[in-house]
Amino acid sequence: MKAAAVAAALGAAAVLYFFDPAGTQAYPRCLIRHSTGRECAGCGAMRAMHALLHGRVGEAWRLNALWTAGAPVLLGWGALRMMRRRRGGVGA
C-alpha cells in the first residue's frame, strides 16, 4: 500500500515536472477560473509546485506563498511518519 502511494506521488510529480500547468491543456479545466475569470488557490499551488520542481523558489512564492512554505513541512512530516511506522515507534 505504501509503495503504491509513493509510486503515485512520484508519478504525479513527474507529470507536473514535464507539463507546465500554465501552458498545457493536460490538466482539467478549473471551474473557478472558468466561472469567474480569477485563479483559485489550487491553480496557484499547481503552478507553484511546478516552479518548485524546477528550483524556482521565488516564482513559486509569488504564485502561492502558503503552499511554497507548507509543502516542505508536509513532505518532512510525511517522511517522519513513514520512518516512525517502519520502526514501530510512537505516532505511527
Side-chain angles (χ1 to χ4, degrees):
M1 183 72 150
K2 293 177 197 175
V6 170
L10 289 175
V15 169
L16 196 55
Y17 180 86
F18 290 111
F19 298 102
D20 184 1
T24 185
Q25 298 297 322
Y27 302 101
R29 181 173 59 176
C30 175
L31 295 177
I32 292 174
R33 186 173 183 189
H34 178 71
S35 300
T36 65
R38 300 185 63 148
E39 294 177 349
C40 72
C43 294
M46 281 186 64
R47 291 190 323 274
M49 193 65 197
H50 176 78
L52 283 174
L53 289 170
H54 287 274
R56 300 187 307 253
V57 178
E59 179 183 346
W61 188 264
R62 284 189 309 277
L63 291 167
N64 191 321
L66 181 61
W67 177 254
T68 303
V73 173
L74 289 173
L75 288 172
W77 177 72
L80 182 63
R81 280 186 50 100
M82 286 178 64
M83 288 177 7
R84 285 184 178 169
R85 280 190 176 195
R86 182 166 283 165
R87 292 183 189 152
V90 177

